């Protein structure tokens, strides 16, 4: 078991080339379902057809070597608005430090997330789950897949790790929406294509916690691990994480990483053998202020 205590870290972590491998992954993973539009030091990924609306990020290669300015960010923002895409930029703070100031000058708000990498050789103690719950990988025809596909917005609607109020009634309504709008079908298609591996903690055929990893070569990212707020504090997220890690390793993944929502969530992932290697940044427009009563 890897401790969250920094004294357990070895001096050679994260090791040479790790952040560059992650940058290569971030640049590669959208290309299976999106086209890349060149904006000099920035690249905008535009989805082809239905699916996840990807981000803009620093360009790879010589184009990304130059400075990023607020004018570059504004050009991409104009294109995102023209296409009706989310106004979102994602990057690694340590590899493109100047982008933060450029994004803020362009009027965006920057959010920080611990970027964590699974330490080689670490082990994960899988918690005992409450009676009636089990963790499994989900195939495209698994009856729990629709609820797993619907979980994300509910899981992240109440941030933090405290037990929340959103429960199975809301999940059932979200599952019906996911069936109608094609969310479940798109996830099933990605699983069939080998682009995504999904796992869930299930009761019967209902997913109460779910997550995914998305392998590209020898690198994979764990994404979307979320628990129905009313079911938190029972070890479900750690159990799903362990299942995804085991699958990633069985596929030969050499680098397994994730971005934690905050430091509290990062401490949970530290129990699964993940160690902080950097900072993932996301720049978006500021949320509008609520009207005064």
């Amino acid at each position: 078991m890897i401790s969250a205590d920094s004294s357990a870290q070895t001096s050679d972590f994260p090791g040479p080339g790790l952040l560059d491998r992650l940058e290569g992954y971030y640049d590669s993973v959208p290309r299976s379902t999106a086209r890349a539009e060149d904006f000099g030091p920035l690249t905008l990924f535009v989805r082809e057809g239905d699916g996840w609306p990807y981000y803009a990020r620093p360009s790879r290669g010589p184009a990304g070597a130059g400075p990023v300015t607020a004018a570059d960010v504004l050009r991409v923002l104009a294109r995102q608005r023209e296409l009706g895409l989310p106004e979102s930029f994602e990057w690694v703070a340590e590899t493109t430090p100047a982008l933060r100031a450029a994004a803020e000058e362009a009027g965006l708000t920057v959010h920080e997330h611990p970027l964590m990498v699974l330490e080689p050789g670490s082990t994960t103690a899988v918690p005992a789950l409450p009676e009636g719950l089990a963790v499994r990988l989900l195939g495209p025809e698994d009856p729990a897949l629709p609820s797993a596909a619907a979980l994300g917005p509910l899981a992240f609607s109440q941030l933090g790790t405290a037990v929340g109020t959103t429960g199975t009634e809301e999940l059932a309504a979200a599952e019906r929406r996911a069936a109608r709008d094609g969310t479940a079908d798109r996830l099933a298609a990605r699983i069939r294509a080998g682009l995504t591996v999904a796992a869930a903690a299930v009761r019967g055929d209902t997913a109460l916690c779910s997550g995914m990893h998305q392998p590209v070569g020898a690198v994979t990212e764990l994404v979307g691990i979320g628990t129905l707020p009313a079911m938190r504090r029972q070890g479900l997220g750690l159990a799903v994480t362990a299942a995804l890690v085991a699958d990633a390793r069985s596929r030969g993944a050499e680098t397994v990483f994730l971005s934690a929502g905050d430091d509290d969530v990062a401490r949970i992932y530290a129990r699964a053998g993940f160690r902080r290697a950097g900072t993932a940044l996301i720049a978006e427009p500021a949320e509008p202020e609520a009207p005064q009563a």
Side-chain angles (χ1 to χ4, degrees), residues 231-248:
M231 296 297 295
R232 289 173 178 164
R233 299 293 182 90
Q234 299 186 71
L236 276 61
L238 188 57
V240 167
T241 299
L244 293 169
V245 166
D247 182 81

Side-chain angles (χ1 to χ4, degrees), residues 128-134 202-204 208 231 234 236:
L129 296 182
E131 186 176 356
L133 273 74
V202 301
R203 176 184 291 141
L208 301 176
M231 296 297 295
Q234 299 186 71
L236 276 61

Side-chain angles (χ1 to χ4, degrees), residues 44 62 104 123 127 168 170-171 173 179 236 240 242 252 255 257 291:
L44 172 62
E104 290 174 338
T123 59
T168 53
E170 291 86 353
L171 177 59
L236 276 61
V240 167
T255 303
F257 77 102

Side-chain angles (χ1 to χ4, degrees), residues 22 40 52 70 95 108 147 191 194 219 223 227 255 276:
L22 300 190
W52 182 258
T95 55
L108 300 178
S147 54
I191 292 172
V219 181
V223 297
T227 302
T255 303
R276 185 160 185 165

Side-chain angles (χ1 to χ4, degrees), residues 125-186:
V126 181
L129 296 182
E131 186 176 356
L133 273 74
V135 173
R136 66 177 186 247
L137 297 178
L138 303 179
E141 308 300 332
D142 194 304
L145 191 68
S147 54
L151 250 177
L154 298 181
F156 299 110
S157 66
Q158 297 176 351
L159 299 178
T161 60
V163 176
T165 57
T166 301
T168 53
E169 184 175 341
E170 291 86 353
L171 177 59
E175 183 177 348
R176 291 191 291 270
R177 291 194 297 272
R180 289 195 302 270
D181 67 15
T183 299
D185 289 339
R186 287 192 291 272

Side-chain angles (χ1 to χ4, degrees), residues 71-149:
D72 296 317
V73 174
L74 289 169
R75 286 176 59 220
V76 176
L77 283 170
R79 180 60 170 159
Q80 288 172 322
R81 292 167 188 155
E82 177 186 355
L83 297 173
L85 299 175
E87 298 169 27
S88 177
F89 296 72
E90 298 187 15
W91 72 101
V92 178
E94 290 76 8
T95 55
T96 316
L99 181 50
R100 179 168 193 156
E104 290 174 338
E105 186 179 342
L108 300 178
T109 298
V110 178
H111 306 278
E112 297 185 1
H113 301 278
L115 183 61
M116 307 186 74
V117 176
L118 185 67
E119 187 173 20
S122 63
T123 59
T124 301
V126 181
L129 296 182
E131 186 176 356
L133 273 74
V135 173
R136 66 177 186 247
L137 297 178
L138 303 179
E141 308 300 332
D142 194 304
L145 191 68
S147 54

